[in-house]
Amino acid sequence: MPNTSHISTFILLGFSDKFQQNILYCILFFMIYIISLIANVLIISVVSLHHPLHTPMYFFLVNLSVTDLGSISVTIPKAMINAALNNREISYSGCIAQVFFLLFFGMSDFFLLTGMAYDRYIAICDPLHYEIIMDRKTCIQLAVIAWIGGLLYSILHTCGTFAINFCSSVLNDFFCDVSQLLKISCDNSYFIEVAFIIFSIAGIAVPCFSFIIVSYVRIFRSVFKISTLQRKNKAFSTCIPHLIVVSFFVIMASVNLLKPPSVSPSNIEMVITILYSVVPSLMNPIVYTIRNREIQVALCDMFKSIITSRNQL
């Protein structure tokens, strides 16, 4: 059996050995990628160009869209190429890059969601001091902490993962994923990485998620005390999308991490993989656009100005 020193490529069993089926995968991935790309770029553009949206909440939303674009660009283009060329291979260095950037964007995303929960908590529970607490400097500091935290986590996690000796080069997935790489380890060194994952859950994920839950318990208590219906609806319209995104992110990450190992890939595993790696990038802009009146108005104004400028030409 080969070990790490002999592995130059990994085989991705998520792809079919039938060319027609891989073409369908390619079309599906292309559609998902284009929709996500357009949706996230629109969010970034409309917030950047529309001055009334230059607030802490939308500042974090732009950062969230950047992480979504990054995470989906790590996996989908390579998956499209593999499917179009009827190829299941990914190089060892390419696998390292996928793991590194997936962890980087994923953890940065989670830290940003935590920062957004803090922003909503201050905005609703302490509105009189909101502008003082959540000033420009604080927002930038929180975003920098999220990005640096994601970077450090990714470096440690990636180094721990690829310090393992692998007994196989076959991965039951469309891309390189830590959970799949641990399944093909062939010595006890993988226990170090498992310990790091447990530490990550206990020391990072649980405290952050607990902070988000506690924040929203207090937020909803404050919202129900609001007397006017209009202010209640505005509070819910900014909080509900964030809560939906956080819940989906945590549930999908937990399912992907805790799903039982299997000898060969199943349809359920493929669905979980797509939900975990692709859907959050689609979900964030859609949820925030549907539920948020301010973004809807800003999008309409942006499109109107584009149409007007074209008519003038």
Side-chain angles (χ1 to χ4, degrees), residues 114-126:
T114 306
M116 291 178 75
Y118 177 70
D119 169 68
R120 290 300 83 204
Y121 169 74
I122 299 298
I124 294 173
C125 297
D126 194 9

Side-chain angles (χ1 to χ4, degrees), residues 186-246:
C186 59
D187 58 23
N188 292 331
S189 60
Y190 85 95
F191 282 114
I192 299 174
E193 180 62 12
V194 172
F196 183 75
I197 292 174
I198 294 172
F199 169 77
S200 302
I201 295 171
I204 300 175
V206 171
C208 287
F209 188 60
S210 299
F211 175 82
I212 293 171
I213 294 299
V214 171
S215 298
Y216 271 96
V217 169
R218 294 182 178 181
I219 286 171
F220 286 130
R221 283 180 181 175
S222 299
V223 168
F224 287 125
K225 292 178 182 177
I226 296 175
S227 56
T228 61
L229 182 61
Q230 185 177 1
R231 288 185 60 198
K232 269 187 182 180
N233 291 335
K234 185 176 180 180
F236 278 123
S237 69
T238 58
C239 291
I240 295 298
H242 179 255
L243 197 57
I244 292 172
V245 169
V246 170

